[in-house]
Amino acid sequence: MTKAYSRFLAAFFCVFLGALLVWHVVLPDREKSQTENRLLSQLPEFSWEALKDGSYTEGIESYFADQFPLRDAWTGMKARVEQLLGKREFNDIYLAGDTLISKVEKPNAELLDKNLSYIDRLAEKLPANLYLGLIPSAAEIWKDKLPAGADSWDQGAFLEDLTVSDKISQIDVSAALKEHAGEQIYYRTDHHWTTLGAFYGANALLEALGREPLKESDFTPEIAADDFNGTLYSQSGIHWLQSDTIEFWVKEEGLTLSSWLTGKEAIAPLYDRSYLEVKDKYSAFLGGNQPLCVIKNEALSEDAGKILLIRDSYSDALAPFLAQRYAEVHLFDLRYNRTPVSAYAAENGIDDVVVLYSIQNFISDNNLFLLTQ
């Protein structure tokens, strides 16, 4: 390499970096990344104290990283180059052919034991029947799709060894999903199960609860969106897979949804279609995460009973199916609702209580201690 050529390269990169800096300054800062579905760092306020303790320089670093021009394109390009070099794991997410599967880390044994003990203690307080349903992730049901040598915590072994109080009935959601593992029961770009997967999960619950299972032929799926790119798409940087399709199966007619999304009760749609126009399309089911919502089926008498789900977001796609067999379906989220569960069940005449969580959330949740109130 000649000295002139070296100087040319040095000058080129200086101009390139300078142009990026000018571009960064000229462009307005973005508040949120639709691709990553998160808020972006903003320019931190300077103070000598912040400079001294290092928080200012950390804030500046995060700010430039988040506000970098064409950040989404660079992130996708980086993942594509790494894929061409043979990499199959991207930010704890495996690229398995045309599917993204989240790695499940080994849980903290102490936290896991505590979470199970909290459910045992809830059983002692409840006036209703208590059930536990843990939903395995795609890393368990689709483990044959994982790249060779891919490491992920053994959810199947955990379920086989799981023991709970005699007062708690376990729901084998895993068996129902394994039976249909060859179908599209999880999204390819998101960690949730699809509406089809939720249908099979709902039938597993209904059968365990002594209710008549639903028939797939009774539903006519509506394609609500065909451009869904979920959380795994955002976290991995892999942006070249085909988008997922979201389907609505249960008709809204005859169902009334009371939502506490704002903290106060309000009548809301079963499917909030405004979310279909943004990145977080999965929140179209029931309007997304909220402290409490209740689905009432006007066609069923009170004798059909009431069910309470202590839930994570997997229940959003499942609850409309349960409303075909229960007069009322109550969804209670411990992250936002501090009402004692036992008191809520007693005050609302709940017949069946189900702690329904994805395993990946259950093993890391720090709010389950609230079940003991």
Side-chain angles (χ1 to χ4, degrees):
M1 183 182 296
T2 65
K3 184 178 293 187
Y5 184 64
S6 298
R7 290 174 177 172
F8 168 76
L9 284 180
F12 174 80
F13 279 112
C14 287
V15 171
F16 177 73
L17 293 174
L20 283 178
L21 179 60
V22 172
W23 193 1
H24 176 91
V25 172
V26 171
L27 282 178
D29 292 342
R30 296 186 300 160
E31 292 186 4
K32 183 177 182 179
S33 168
Q34 290 298 326
T35 300
E36 298 177 70
N37 194 30
R38 68 176 181 89
L39 296 176
L40 298 176
S41 299
Q42 302 299 304
L43 183 65
E45 184 176 347
F46 175 81
S47 72
W48 290 110
E49 187 63 30
L51 181 63
K52 182 178 179 180
D53 64 23
S55 60
Y56 180 75
T57 52
E58 290 179 2
I60 285 290
E61 184 178 347
S62 297
Y63 167 71
F64 275 101
D66 279 5
Q67 300 295 341
F68 195 81
L70 299 178
R71 171 186 168 84
D72 295 339
W74 288 110
T75 302
M77 184 183 299
K78 174 178 178 291
R80 174 63 90 175
V81 170
E82 290 176 337
Q83 186 240 353
L84 293 174
L85 293 174
K87 187 175 181 179
R88 292 295 180 268
E89 182 182 344
F90 305 82
N91 296 326
D92 292 330
I93 296 167
Y94 292 117
L95 175 59
D98 65 347
T99 300
L100 297 173
I101 298 179
S102 181
K103 177 182 179 180
V104 180
E105 299 286 356
K106 183 178 180 180
N108 179 294
E110 183 179 357
L111 176 61
L112 181 55
D113 288 342
K114 284 182 178 180
N115 284 348
L116 291 171
S117 71
Y118 298 146
I119 298 174
D120 287 342
R121 291 167 63 181
L122 174 63
E124 299 172 359
K125 293 174 170 286
L126 277 179
N129 304 313
L130 180 60
Y131 299 81
L132 173 62
L134 296 178
I135 307 165
S137 73
E140 173 64 25
I141 304 302
W142 283 350
K143 62 174 60 176
D144 60 318
K145 293 186 178 184
L146 292 173
D151 179 38
S152 189
W153 182 62
D154 194 337
Q155 300 169 68
F158 163 67
L159 290 174
E160 289 178 5
D161 296 338
L162 181 61
T163 56
V164 292
S165 165
D166 293 339
K167 297 180 181 180
I168 304 171
S169 300
Q170 292 190 55
I171 301 171
D172 194 352
V173 182
S174 180
L177 295 177
K178 284 182 178 179
E179 185 178 347
H180 299 279
E183 302 172 43
Q184 197 65 44
I185 54 177
Y186 295 95
Y187 293 109
R188 292 179 299 98
T189 68
D190 191 71
H191 64 286
H192 291 103
W193 54 14
T194 61
T195 312
L196 178 62
F199 169 79
Y200 293 132
N203 270 346
L205 264 69
L206 290 171
E207 291 179 11
L209 294 162
R211 306 270 170 156
E212 181 183 357
L214 301 166
K215 297 178 181 177
E216 189 173 345
S217 59
D218 290 338
F219 301 94
T220 303
E222 171 200 347
I223 296 179
D226 60 5
D227 57 349
F228 174 44
N229 296 308
T231 54
L232 304 185
Y233 167 95
S234 302
Q235 295 167 14
S236 66
I238 297 176
H239 300 158
W240 57 84
L241 300 183
Q242 181 180 350
S243 300
D244 279 301
T245 296
I246 290 181
E247 294 181 344
F248 296 155
W249 284 31
V250 176
K251 300 299 182 185
E252 297 187 69
E253 291 77 15
L255 299 179
T256 302
L257 177 70
S258 297
S259 170
W260 277 259
L261 187 62
T262 62
K264 296 181 179 180
E265 182 180 6
I267 300 301
L270 189 67
Y271 306 117
D272 188 340
R273 296 172 186 270
S274 66
Y275 281 102
L276 299 177
E277 305 302 321
V278 298
K279 172 70 168 58
D280 186 19
K281 290 177 170 54
Y282 185 82
S283 287
F285 292 102
L286 309 186
N289 295 328
Q290 54 191 296
L292 177 70
C293 68
V294 179
I295 307 174
K296 295 183 179 180
N297 189 332
E298 301 167 1
L300 298 179
S301 67
E302 291 188 2
D303 294 338
K306 302 178 182 180
I307 185 172
L308 170 62
L309 300 181
I310 312 299
R311 42 77 75 176
D312 63 11
S313 54
Y314 273 65
S315 290
D316 293 348
L318 173 140
F321 292 115
L322 297 185
Q324 307 305 298
R325 294 290 184 260
Y326 280 90
E328 294 184 14
V329 179
H330 297 238
L331 294 100
F332 192 109
D333 196 321
L334 293 172
R335 292 171 295 180
Y336 315 108
N337 197 330
R338 292 297 187 259
T339 305
V341 172
S342 56
Y344 182 89
E347 292 170 5
N348 289 275
I350 300 296
D351 300 290
D352 300 313
V353 176
V354 180
V355 177
L356 183 66
Y357 270 72
S358 63
I359 292 179
Q360 201 161 6
N361 283 338
F362 183 82
I363 63 178
S364 60
D365 194 286
N366 289 303
N367 296 296
L368 288 166
F369 73 93
L370 295 168
L371 295 175
T372 64
Q373 292 184 340

